[in-house]
Amino acid sequence: MDQQQQQRVGAPQYRPPPPGQGGGGGGETSSVLFVLVGFLAIFSMLVLPSVSTISNSFSILHQVPEGHVGVYWRGGALLKTITDPGFHLKLPLITQYEPVQVTLQTDQVKDIPCGTKGGVMINFEKIEVVNRLRKEYVYETLLNYGVHYDNTWIYDKIHHEINQFCSSNSLQDVYIDVFDQIDEKMKDALQVDCTKYAPGIEIINVRVTKPKIPDSIRRNFEQMEEERTKVLIAIERQRVVEKEAETRKKMAISEAEKNANVSKILMEQKLMEKDSSRRQEEIENAMYLAREKSLADADFYKVMREAEANKLKLTPQFLELKFIEAIADNTKIFFGDKVPNMVLDQRLLGNFLKVSREVPKDVSKEMSEEANNGETGSFWCSSADPFTV
């Protein structure tokens, strides 16, 4: 059925020759070739993937991959139409299509030669720039800088910034001292210009590899690094020794403080014991003093009361009574004309003599007999006035 339609569309209608005549096989072959060519043309326009400019120009149906947007040119002019990932249609041969990545991408800039401030040539083998084109700035960026915008603002800019950095720093700075700062410096330099001239380009990160330097200089750096390593090892060893000494010192101080604290506690304990003993003795002394004071006060009161009583007793009659009681216990009575070395109160003696006259005669006789037997006494009395001493 398709062959008959193609024959009606692409060739003039004619009747097949009679069976006995020749020439019928050539017409059928040309029809088959015509159908095959048409089918191949339709297939190339509809099915072939959009992988090249020629296929993009001829294809009608094209696919925008994920992470990209589709941009279009018509007659060389960039269209404002931006398509999202998926299948889309376009006019063949008139509209050209190109996918543009809007996710993170890494551009590698290789073999970047530069000369340092001292004139030494070095080479950076690879610098990686992680960047992203913002979707809302795709049209503006491609309008100003084309599809290969990264050549202008990444590849060429990296070469420029690396040469600027090397020319203002020595080999020591580039290779060792400030090498760790190159990443940030390159990132800041790229982002400043991109923000100013191509705001859709965002620089995420820059990774710079160690540059290649001449072998002779590299050996010198290696020797210098080896010596520096030895110095660092010596410094670290010295620090270890100092730390050990400091640790021992702290341990000794801690031990001394512990002993001092123990001694202080023991001393305080002894002082507390002494203080407790002192207080106990003070309490006992106070109790003893109070007791003795009470006894002394009692004795004093007793003596005072006795003195007051004796004062009331000291009458002539009481004194006579005590005198008589004192000499009444003496059972020896002496008689004589004279009492030697005897001084008596005249009043007492008179009273005594008055009493002695009242002594019975038989008592006086006994006293005389004892005196004749040779016994002596303390007093001497006349024979007429005997008395007992």
Side-chain angles (χ1 to χ4, degrees):
M1 185 67 182
D2 292 337
Q3 293 179 358
Q4 295 177 358
Q5 291 178 355
Q6 290 292 336
Q7 290 176 0
R8 286 196 297 267
V9 173
Q13 297 180 359
Y14 66 95
R15 291 182 178 180
Q21 299 178 358
E28 292 178 358
T29 303
S30 61
S31 299
V32 172
L33 292 175
F34 183 81
V35 171
L36 181 60
V37 170
F39 177 78
L40 291 176
I42 295 173
F43 179 81
S44 63
M45 289 187 293
L46 296 179
V47 182
L48 284 178
S50 54
V51 294
S52 63
T53 304
I54 298 176
S55 61
N56 288 340
S57 299
F58 283 97
S59 64
I60 298 176
L61 180 66
H62 61 281
Q63 179 185 3
V64 178
E66 188 65 40
H68 295 67
V69 294
V71 293
Y72 303 90
W73 287 263
R74 183 173 297 166
L78 180 64
L79 301 180
K80 291 184 178 181
T81 303
I82 305 295
T83 58
D84 294 326
F87 287 101
H88 302 277
L89 298 174
K90 69 177 184 63
L91 295 176
L93 300 177
I94 299 176
T95 303
Q96 288 80 32
Y97 147 80
E98 190 72 29
V100 177
Q101 187 174 355
V102 292
T103 56
L104 292 180
Q105 58 180 340
T106 301
D107 295 329
Q108 294 184 356
V109 186
K110 299 181 179 180
D111 296 331
I112 308 172
C114 66
T116 62
K117 186 178 180 180
V120 180
M121 291 299 298
I122 61 177
N123 183 49
F124 288 88
E125 291 186 347
K126 182 178 65 174
I127 296 179
E128 296 179 346
V129 181
V130 181
N131 62 94
R132 179 178 60 185
L133 178 62
R134 297 178 182 175
K135 183 177 179 180
E136 59 271 19
Y137 289 94
V138 170
Y139 175 78
E140 181 181 350
T141 303
L142 269 63
L143 181 64
N144 295 325
Y145 307 108
V147 177
H148 302 291
Y149 61 89
D150 49 357
N151 288 336
T152 303
W153 293 112
I154 294 179
Y155 291 93
D156 296 342
K157 187 66 177 176
I158 282 292
H159 279 269
H160 173 73
E161 293 297 335
I162 285 294
N163 279 273
Q164 289 287 330
F165 178 80
C166 292
S167 62
S168 60
N169 291 276
S170 63
L171 179 61
Q172 175 73 23
D173 296 335
V174 175
Y175 195 70
I176 296 178
D177 294 342
V178 295
F179 176 76
D180 57 339
Q181 304 176 13
I182 298 179
D183 298 345
E184 293 296 328
K185 289 181 180 294
M186 293 298 105
K187 176 185 174 182
D188 295 340
L190 292 176
Q191 189 62 66
V192 167
D193 288 343
C194 288
T195 303
K196 184 176 181 180
Y197 299 104
I201 302 174
E202 181 181 3
I203 306 300
I204 307 300
N205 195 9
V206 176
R207 296 187 292 266
V208 180
T209 59
K210 203 76 170 177
K212 274 189 174 182
I213 61 176
D215 293 338
S216 58
I217 299 177
R218 181 176 55 81
R219 284 193 296 270
N220 293 334
F221 274 110
E222 290 176 354
Q223 293 178 359
M224 184 174 61
E225 191 66 24
E226 183 178 354
E227 295 297 328
R228 183 179 299 176
T229 304
K230 292 180 181 179
V231 172
L232 292 177
I233 292 174
I235 293 174
E236 290 298 327
R237 186 180 295 110
Q238 183 179 359
R239 288 180 180 176
V240 171
V241 173
E242 292 177 354
K243 286 294 183 181
E244 291 177 352
E246 185 178 357
T247 302
R248 289 193 297 269
K249 180 180 177 181
K250 288 183 178 180
M251 292 177 63
I253 293 174
S254 177
E255 187 69 21
E257 290 178 351
K258 184 186 72 175
N259 295 334
N261 292 332
V262 172
S263 300
K264 182 179 179 181
I265 293 172
L266 294 176
M267 182 62 67
E268 290 178 353
Q269 182 180 0
K270 291 181 180 179
L271 291 175
M272 292 176 65
E273 292 177 356
K274 294 292 183 182
D275 186 64
S276 178
S277 300
R278 180 180 60 80
R279 291 181 181 178
Q280 185 177 359
E281 290 179 358
E282 289 179 353
I283 294 173
E284 292 177 354
N285 293 336
M287 293 174 61
Y288 178 77
L289 180 61
R291 183 172 62 254
E292 293 297 327
K293 185 177 181 181
S294 299
L295 294 176
D297 291 342
D299 292 340
F300 177 76
Y301 180 77
K302 179 180 179 182
V303 171
M304 291 297 295
R305 298 300 293 176
E306 289 179 353
E308 290 177 358
N310 292 333
K311 186 177 181 181
L312 296 175
K313 289 180 181 180
L314 291 178
T315 59
Q317 294 80 7
F318 182 74
L319 294 176
E320 284 185 24
L321 177 60
K322 288 297 181 182
F323 180 78
I324 292 172
E325 290 177 354
I327 64 175
D329 292 333
N330 193 350
T331 58
K332 296 181 181 180
I333 300 176
F334 301 93
F335 299 90
D337 298 332
K338 180 180 179 181
V339 180
N341 302 325
M342 185 66 180
V343 179
L344 298 174
D345 190 335
Q346 295 298 323
R347 182 173 55 81
L348 293 176
L349 181 60
N351 294 331
F352 176 73
L353 292 176
K354 183 177 179 181
V355 173
S356 64
R357 290 190 185 96
E358 298 176 357
V359 177
K361 292 182 179 181
D362 52 353
V363 176
S364 299
K365 186 178 180 180
E366 292 179 358
M367 294 177 63
S368 298
E369 290 178 357
E370 291 179 359
N372 293 329
N373 290 332
E375 295 179 359
T376 60
S378 300
F379 299 97
W380 293 88
C381 299
S382 63
S383 58
D385 299 319
F387 63 93
T388 304
V389 180

